Structures are given as structure tokens and as C-alpha cells.
Amino acid sequence: MSWNDATTQMIITGVYETILITVLSTFFGYLFGLPYGIAMVVTDRDGLHPMPVVYKVLDILSNILRSVPFLILMILLIPFTRAVVGKSYGTEGTIVPLVISAIPYIARLVESSLKEVDPGVIEAAQAMGSSKRSIVLHVLLVEARTSLVVNATIATATILGYSAMAGSIGGGGLGAIAIQYGYYRYETTIMVVTVVLLILLVQLFQTIGMKAAKALDKRK
Amino acid sequence: MGVIEISHVSKCFSPKEGEVHALKDVSVSIEAGDIYGIIGMSGAGKSTLVRCMNYLERPTEGSVKVFNQELGALSEKELRKMRQDIGMIFQHFNLLMQKNVLENVCYPLYIQGVKRREARVKAMELLELVGLADRAKTYPAKLSGGQQQRVAIARALASNPKILLCDEATSALDPQTTASILELLKEINEKFGITIVIITHQMAVVREICNRVTILSSGVVVEEGEVAEVFKHPKSPEAKELIRRDLSGEVDAPVRRPVSQVREGKTFRIVFTENSSYEPVISNVIMQFMEPVNILGANTRNVSGIARGEMLLQLIPDSKHEADIVAYLEERGIAVEEVNADELE
């Protein structure tokens, strides 16, 4: 097959789908992963509201989810994915397992960012009579914001990589194109083009993330 | 009845490797308007004690009453309310590094539900007070340690507290900056009548601004009293040691051997106060008893607003006039106390 308008159109759609999958998966990943991470920090032994049992459950659950290889998780989740979005392939079908696998990973990233906050600052807020809620919202999340954004950038790039992997079992986006044309049909040109585009996308997300992190950092 | 009444407080930490008794049966009473010093070496339990005063640490035993209210009996909400009346500043300032100076001072006001606009007006007044109004939009990282501590003081005062707890507030600062921060604390105490509790390991800080002091050692109160009195007649070995270090200008430095390896006879610390006579006592001692005395050290300092001089005198070995010399000095209103050789080392 030679390169034609249909190929170009397909690649453009692929780029669009990849961006859509990555952005939506990261968004929903944070929608659940951020509270998950906060919950781990708060319930930890030296946290604002220690609840050792709850912490242990969250801790173990996140480890279990992170130890299942993504491709296998995706297959295991097919019934769940169908129940949520109605199909287990294509763009929507990729987002569901991506979100599920991203949640515990994001929770860990959030946990490590929040743990970097100087305990002295938290103590000062407690001494002022801050509620725990206020400490989370106005001290933890604000003081850790640079680290949170840096980690969100890492999470986005990782999710983008996983989305390409999902292409091998019916996912959408550039990954699916690379597999279907580049791998099964030996269309090397298409393979190279998609890989270059994936690299450019990662660079793009990385640049935006780092610029944002730098702009938010007032510590220097 | 003091504003802070600590009675028979013990605090026991139980980490994995055995129990640690940070405080053992400590009782302290702090009156309204006091600048109260709590001094001790590191590990003496003073930081734990000050945290019991706002229940950042819950004592294992005993009672903590602030404004006549038992802190242990308060609900979490009541405790938060109470804490708004107790400001606190720290060794490492603990400012929000991602917020500018103005927002740092506004934070305790936001907690209380004060509107942004009013909060900013109030915060600016406080920054004026601490001399940093022109740095309102600056971020803490751009400020010096002394300036950061001033912001922390402004922040602590924002909720109009009646008590200000200072946990090693000057320990990370150089001597000049320490002096200016102490000056500011004194001003706050006088201007607003805020009771100040100062935790420190530096006797100089206590001497400079406190009116009363408690000396802690290994979680136990070893001495308590008026600062002037403790300086004049220290009873415990810990107090003597702290005063000696202060006198010799040492702060944390490991104990040094005095220059005089010639140490031979008995050594006395003598203290001149405003009651002391004006005659040249040392010359007179020498002439009267025909015996030389060795001046090992001398210093004048301001203790709670009273100027006083101190000297370390050493007599010749086996002096026959030792008792007479002591009596002679005491007659002239000078406090005399024998200092033994170990304490000097």
C-alpha cells in the first residue's frame, strides 16, 4: 500500500484519538487517584488522621493493582469495560482499563509528592487551629504543587505509552495503527511515522508540564 | 491562677525500641503578661513541654489548663478554637513557601472565616508592626532568616492571640538578628500584653527578656524562679552550668578548659548588683588581707533590666583568709558563691 490521502486521514485520526485517550485517562485517573493518594497520606501512621487499617487496605490494594501487567488487566477488565462504556475496543474501550491501571499508580505519585511537604509547616497550621480539611486543601496540595505537576507529567507520558500498548488488542489511537500496519502488514513507513508522532507527543506533554511546574514554583 | 497551668504532666513516647519518658511529673505555672523562659539542653523535653501547652502533644498523664480550661476535656473543634488564642513560632519559621508574605499572614485569618479584603488590611498592619510591609508580595524563599521569623511572628499575631509560644525561635539566627527578634517580642509583650513562652537552650535569651524561668533536665524541672534570682543564686548544677556557659560566651560549644591551667586555690563567683557598695572592693580585699587574687573572668550584663557585674575570683592555694574574704565581700552586698573546679572545665 502506498501513502495516500486515506493514510494521512487515518494518521490524523490516530493522533487525535491518542491525545483524547491520554488526556481523558489522565483526567479520570487523577479524579480517583488524587483522593486515593490523599487518603493514604492522611491515614498513614504519622498522618493527619492515622487509621492504620484503612491505610493498610489502600496500600495493599494499590500494590495488587500495580502488579498486574497492563495487557492482562485490560483483558481481565473486558466485562467491566463493556458494562461501563458498552464496548471493549476502540477509544472508549481503551480509556476504561487505562484509568483503572493509572489510579493506583497516580495514587502512589500523589502520596510521594505530599510526603515531601515539610512536617513543620503542617504543624504550624495545626497550631493555628486549622482543620484537617483546610490543611489538606491549603497546605498539603499548595505546598506540594510543583512536585504534583512534575509527577502528573510523568503520569501522562506513561499513560500515553500504555495507550499505544492497548493498540495491540483492539485499542484506538496511534498505537493501534502502528501495530496493524507497521507490524502485521510490514508498512515500515507508517510504523516510523507513528513512532515519530508518539515521540513528539511525549515531548509536547513533557514541555508543557515542566513549564507549568516551573511557573508554579515560588521556592527559588 | 496562671494563664497556663501545667500540673504533674508526664509524656511518654513508645517507639519500637523501648519507652522514652520525655517529661516526668512537670508542673509549671505561667502568669498573664509573663515572658517565661523554659531552658534546657537538647533532649531535655522542652519542645515536648511547649507542645503540651497547645496540645500538639497530648500528655500521657497530668493536666494542662489554659485560661482555666482543661485542654484534655475539649472537643477537637473547641481545641481548634482555643489554638487560635495561642500563637506559635518555630525554629525553622515554617512558612508556606508557595505563598507570598501577605498570604502567609492572611492564612490564620482565612481559617477563622475572615473575608479576603479585611484579612489583607489586618495582615498589612501586622507586617507594618514587624517592619516588613514593603515585602508583602515577596515569597519567603527570598527573605533572610530574621525576616522569615518576623513574618512568622506577624502570622502568629494575626488571630489576636493572648499567648505566644516560641519554640527555639532564635536558634537558627545569628546573634544580631536574635537580638532584634527578642526586641520585637519584648515590644509585643509590652504593647499587647501577650504572655510569651520562650523555649531555648541559650541562657542569653532568657537573661535578655524573660522574667521567670524553668530549667528542664531529662524531662524533670530542676529549678524554677525569677530570672534575676536564678542568675544570682543558681541552686541546681544545671543552672550553674547554663550560667557558666553564658558567662564564658559559649553557647553550644563543647566545654572548653579555661586558659588558666594555673588554677590552684579556691574559686568564687561574685555578683555585684545595684545593692553593692561603691568602694573598690577587689583592691581593698588585696590590701586588707595582703593576699593576691586572680581574676579569671569578668562580665557585666543586663538581667531583666537590672545591670549587674560578675567576676570569677581565684584565691591563692591554702589561703588562710578565705572565710574572712567571703565575709568581707558579703558585707558589701556582693553575692559570693564557691565554684568548684569541675564546673569550670
Side-chain angles (χ1 to χ4, degrees):
Chain A
M1 191 187 98
S2 63
W3 195 282
N4 56 32
D5 283 356
T7 320
T8 312
Q9 195 52 50
M10 178 182 75
I11 297 278
I12 290 171
T13 312
V15 169
Y16 167 75
E17 281 178 3
T18 294
I19 293 177
L20 194 69
I21 291 170
T22 307
V23 170
L24 285 179
S25 300
T26 309
F27 173 78
F28 284 109
Y30 267 90
L31 193 65
F32 299 102
L34 185 66
Y36 194 139
I38 292 171
M40 283 204 281
V41 172
V42 171
T43 57
D44 197 3
R45 202 153 38 86
D46 49 3
L48 283 171
H49 194 101
M51 292 163 80
V53 177
V54 174
Y55 177 79
K56 205 73 215 163
V57 169
L58 293 173
D59 182 48
I60 291 174
L61 184 67
S62 106
N63 287 345
I64 292 174
L65 282 172
R66 283 185 309 143
S67 33
V68 181
F70 177 63
L71 280 180
I72 295 170
L73 185 76
M74 207 173 159
I75 296 163
L76 283 174
L77 282 173
I78 287 175
F80 177 73
T81 309
R82 277 214 189 96
V84 176
V85 293
K87 58 178 192 174
S88 63
Y89 53 89
T91 309
E92 302 93 315
T94 314
I95 291 175
V96 175
L98 265 180
V99 169
I100 299 296
S101 91
I103 290 170
Y105 177 66
I106 288 172
R108 283 291 179 204
L109 290 175
V110 168
E111 183 191 26
S112 86
S113 291
L114 298 186
K115 287 235 155 135
E116 287 168 25
V117 175
D118 178 5
V121 180
I122 299 166
E123 191 182 36
Q126 285 175 318
M128 282 178 230
S130 277
S131 63
K132 287 164 186 169
R133 206 179 94 101
S134 170
I135 291 175
V136 169
L137 292 178
H138 301 117
V139 179
L140 282 180
L141 291 177
V142 174
E143 287 296 291
R145 65 187 185 193
T146 307
S147 168
L148 285 169
V149 170
V150 169
N151 280 339
T153 308
I154 296 171
T156 309
T158 309
I159 288 170
L160 190 131
Y162 276 38
S163 83
M165 221 193 286
S168 66
I169 54 164
L174 286 175
I177 296 171
I179 300 273
Q180 281 160 27
Y181 292 83
Y183 182 63
Y184 293 128
R185 295 199 202 163
Y186 307 105
E187 299 267 9
T188 316
T189 324
I190 295 184
M191 176 81 115
V192 170
V193 169
T194 51
V195 169
V196 168
L197 283 170
L198 284 170
I199 292 170
L200 287 177
L201 280 177
V202 170
Q203 292 295 341
L204 178 74
F205 286 129
Q206 191 72 26
T207 310
I208 294 172
M210 288 305 154
K211 282 234 158 72
K214 204 169 169 216
L216 283 171
D217 195 358
K218 306 296 183 188
R219 291 171 301 180
K220 295 191 190 77
Chain B
M1 198 66 189
V3 285
I4 303 177
E5 286 290 340
I6 302 233
S7 18
H8 306 291
V9 159
S10 296
K11 173 75 189 183
C12 183
F13 293 102
S14 23
K16 284 182 188 98
E17 53 293 330
E19 295 202 325
V20 180
H21 289 272
L23 296 173
K24 282 172 252 170
D25 195 28
V26 170
S27 296
V28 176
S29 171
I30 300 173
E31 301 290 331
D34 272 349
I35 300 187
Y36 198 102
I38 294 173
I39 187 166
M41 301 295 159
S42 65
K46 51 199 192 302
S47 282
T48 308
L49 180 58
V50 77
R51 278 166 179 71
C52 286
M53 295 179 185
N54 59 4
Y55 252 51
L56 284 176
E57 291 285 2
R58 283 169 186 269
T60 323
E61 275 170 59
S63 134
V64 178
K65 282 186 181 172
V66 178
F67 310 125
N68 226 352
Q69 287 202 61
E70 179 65 54
L71 293 190
L74 299 179
S75 70
E76 197 169 325
K77 205 174 161 194
E78 289 166 330
L79 183 61
R80 287 209 301 268
K81 193 96 190 64
M82 170 67 91
R83 281 177 179 163
Q84 296 177 359
D85 285 334
I86 312 172
M88 189 167 186
I89 58 173
F90 304 84
Q91 180 173 6
H92 299 296
F93 329 122
N94 297 352
L95 298 175
L96 296 164
M97 300 307 277
Q98 301 280 25
K99 296 272 191 188
N100 68 27
V101 165
L102 186 66
E103 288 299 308
N104 262 286
V105 182
C106 284
Y107 180 63
L109 295 165
Y110 295 154
I111 296 170
Q112 293 182 13
V114 176
K115 294 258 172 356
R116 186 171 284 262
R117 221 202 178 130
E118 290 166 46
R120 291 195 165 169
V121 173
K122 168 94 187 173
M124 278 312 291
E125 285 171 17
L126 287 163
L127 287 175
E128 203 79 56
L129 174 80
V130 301
L132 284 174
D134 55 329
R135 310 304 295 271
K137 297 286 178 204
T138 312
Y139 286 88
K142 296 251 192 285
L143 300 178
S144 69
Q147 287 172 323
Q148 290 196 40
Q149 196 59 291
R150 283 168 183 272
V151 176
I153 291 172
R155 180 174 72 172
L157 294 180
S159 54
N160 291 323
K162 297 175 191 73
I163 297 172
L164 180 62
L165 308 176
C166 309
D167 183 21
E168 296 276 11
T170 57
S171 300
L173 306 174
D174 62 63
Q176 285 78 18
T177 316
T178 296
S180 79
I181 293 290
L182 294 180
E183 199 55 50
L184 177 62
L185 291 176
K186 209 170 194 169
E187 186 188 331
I188 288 162
N189 170 261
E190 283 161 8
K191 209 161 165 182
F192 306 108
I194 295 176
T195 307
I196 297 182
V197 181
I198 292 186
I199 300 297
T200 183
H201 64 279
Q202 299 164 309
M203 204 58 177
V205 169
V206 172
R207 164 164 58 76
E208 203 60 48
I209 68 167
C210 297
N211 62 323
R212 287 191 79 84
V213 64
T214 278
I215 300 173
L216 272 186
S217 176
S218 313
V220 178
V221 174
V222 292
E223 191 155 347
E224 201 274 340
E226 279 191 25
V227 171
E229 191 52 34
V230 170
F231 266 87
K232 214 189 303 176
H233 299 294
K235 293 184 202 80
S236 59
E238 288 83 358
K240 287 175 187 166
E241 171 64 13
L242 285 162
I243 291 169
R244 187 199 61 76
R245 287 197 188 188
D246 181 32
L247 188 68
S248 58
E250 292 171 42
V251 183
D252 306 301
V255 180
R256 284 175 303 194
R257 183 167 279 267
V259 240
S260 58
Q261 288 298 339
V262 287
R263 202 170 354 91
E264 289 155 291
K266 287 196 173 173
T267 306
F268 293 90
R269 172 187 291 122
I270 67 171
V271 180
F272 301 82
T273 61
E274 79 255 77
N275 303 321
S276 308
S277 70
Y278 288 97
E279 62 179 287
V281 274
I282 306 295
S283 307
N284 289 356
V285 163
I286 296 167
M287 289 194 285
Q288 172 137 3
F289 299 101
M290 297 304 282
E291 221 180 75
V293 297
N294 188 8
I295 300 176
L296 294 179
N299 213 337
T300 23
R301 60 189 64 212
N302 183 336
V303 179
S304 306
I306 300 163
R308 43 181 298 220
E310 285 190 358
M311 263 191 194
L312 281 176
L313 291 187
Q314 186 180 55
L315 306 185
I316 55 166
D318 307 316
S319 165
K320 291 173 187 63
H321 302 293
E322 186 193 307
D324 297 332
I325 290 173
V326 170
Y328 181 90
L329 291 169
E330 281 177 343
E331 264 167 44
R332 278 148 190 83
I334 295 165
V336 184
E337 181 206 4
E338 187 174 345
V339 186
N340 58 41
D342 321 338
E343 284 176 56
L344 277 175
E345 275 172 25

